[in-house]
């Protein structure tokens, strides 16, 4: 498909530890929604990012790690490709992992924008893993990190054990509810993240990953 004049530049960033028995062909099939969206005929053909300075999509066969720092021009329909990719990666993942996806408004010019103009940027955090528990563990770890980083501006780290304990209770309750529901019999969607608008004029846009 052609993505000339696409409204967004979409950046996918993450690292996924894969099972020891996963081979390149399995990974290529799992990532097919991405490279096919880019108009490629194979993972090797579509692994390069739109930006030369980004490593793109790489598979470290020795370490069994999938690394993604990959940008593609696209539209809102890319979200469907992400859902399909996450479902497939759940089957290959050794443990839970987070994948960051940023939609940059390709039509927004910060230099020419007025004070009230805002970019249509969006940021979504996706999660993959072999089980719901593995996915929840990653969600828990990221939340604890965010909360502790925020509260350490006002409190010593040693004072925050009670806060971490309360977060653990919330995730324990969520997991217990999941176990007791019919959802436990279904494969994890792997897209349990929350997205938020992140574009603002005046230099407030989310910066790209630098390597």
């Amino acid at each position: 498909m052609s993505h000339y004049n696409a409204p967004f530049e979409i950046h996918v960033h993450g690292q996924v530890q894969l099972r020891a028995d996963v081979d390149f062909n399995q990974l290529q099939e799992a990532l097919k929604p991405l490279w096919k969206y880019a108009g490629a005929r194979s993972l090797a053909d579509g692994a390069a990012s739109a930006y030369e300075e980004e490593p793109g999509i790489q598979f470290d066969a020795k370490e069994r790690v999938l690394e993604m720092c990959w940008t593609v021009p696209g539209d809102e329909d890319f979200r469907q490709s992400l859902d399909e990719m996450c479902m497939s990666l759940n089957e290959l993942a050794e443990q839970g992992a987070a994948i960051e996806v940023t939609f940059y408004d390709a039509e927004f010019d910060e230099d020419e924008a007025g004070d009230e103009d805002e970019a249509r940027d969006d940021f979504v955090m996706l999660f993959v893993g072999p089980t719901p528990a593995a996915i929840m563990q990653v969600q828990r770890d990221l939340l604890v990190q965010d909360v502790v980083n925020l509260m350490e501006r006002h409190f010593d780290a040693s004072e925050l054990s009670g806060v971490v304990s309360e977060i653990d209770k919330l995730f324990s309750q969520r997991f217990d509810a999941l176990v007791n529901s019919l959802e436990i019999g279904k494969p994890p969607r792997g897209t349990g993240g929350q997205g938020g608008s992140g574009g603002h004029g005046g230099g407030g846009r989310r910066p790209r990953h630098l390597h």
Side-chain angles (χ1 to χ4, degrees):
M1 68 180 67
S2 173
H3 292 293
Y4 294 109
N5 300 319
F8 295 101
E9 289 182 345
I10 307 166
H11 184 71
V12 181
H13 193 94
Q15 185 179 83
V16 182
Q17 185 70 48
L18 304 175
R19 297 196 324 266
D21 61 333
V22 173
D23 60 28
F24 180 82
N25 289 333
Q26 290 174 292
L27 184 60
Q28 177 171 251
E29 184 64 25
L31 297 179
K32 187 174 182 179
L34 297 192
W35 54 260
K36 188 175 181 180
Y37 189 88
R41 296 184 178 182
S42 67
L43 176 55
D45 184 34
S49 175
Y51 290 92
E52 292 183 359
E53 65 269 22
E54 295 176 353
I57 301 174
Q58 297 184 338
F59 175 43
D60 187 329
K62 182 179 179 181
E63 299 296 330
R64 321 304 303 174
V65 172
L66 164 66
E67 296 188 14
M68 294 181 287
C69 181
W70 182 78
T71 298
V72 64
D75 207 334
E76 290 286 350
D77 59 352
F78 186 70
R79 297 176 188 269
Q80 177 62 36
S81 297
L82 290 171
D83 284 345
E84 295 172 2
M85 177 199 70
C86 287
M87 290 291 289
S88 297
L89 281 181
N90 286 335
E91 304 297 325
L92 307 183
E94 175 70 24
Q95 57 195 42
I99 300 173
E100 303 174 358
V101 182
T102 310
F103 289 74
Y104 293 99
D105 187 348
E107 300 171 351
F108 183 79
D109 189 325
E110 290 185 273
D111 295 331
E112 298 182 1
D115 293 338
E116 297 183 357
D117 294 331
E118 290 191 358
R120 296 174 299 153
D121 294 359
D122 194 15
F123 173 73
V124 181
M125 184 73 80
L126 305 176
F127 299 92
V128 298
T131 64
I135 290 174
M136 284 189 183
Q137 183 64 47
V138 177
Q139 293 173 326
R140 176 266 179 200
D141 292 346
L142 285 175
L143 179 58
V144 168
Q145 180 180 345
D146 288 344
V147 170
V148 169
N149 287 342
L150 177 63
M151 296 191 70
E152 277 185 338
R153 301 175 188 175
H154 309 282
F155 300 94
D156 188 86
S158 62
E159 300 177 86
L160 301 178
S161 60
V163 175
V164 175
S165 177
E166 289 302 316
I167 292 175
D168 285 338
K169 289 180 182 178
L170 290 173
F171 275 96
S172 293
Q173 293 170 5
R174 175 175 290 184
F175 183 72
D176 289 344
L178 180 63
V179 170
N180 292 328
S181 74
L182 295 177
E183 294 295 322
I184 196 65
K186 301 179 181 179
R189 278 186 52 80
T191 55
Q194 58 277 8
S197 178
H200 299 279
R205 303 183 74 186
R206 180 178 177 84
R208 295 185 182 277
H209 291 279
L210 301 179
H211 295 269

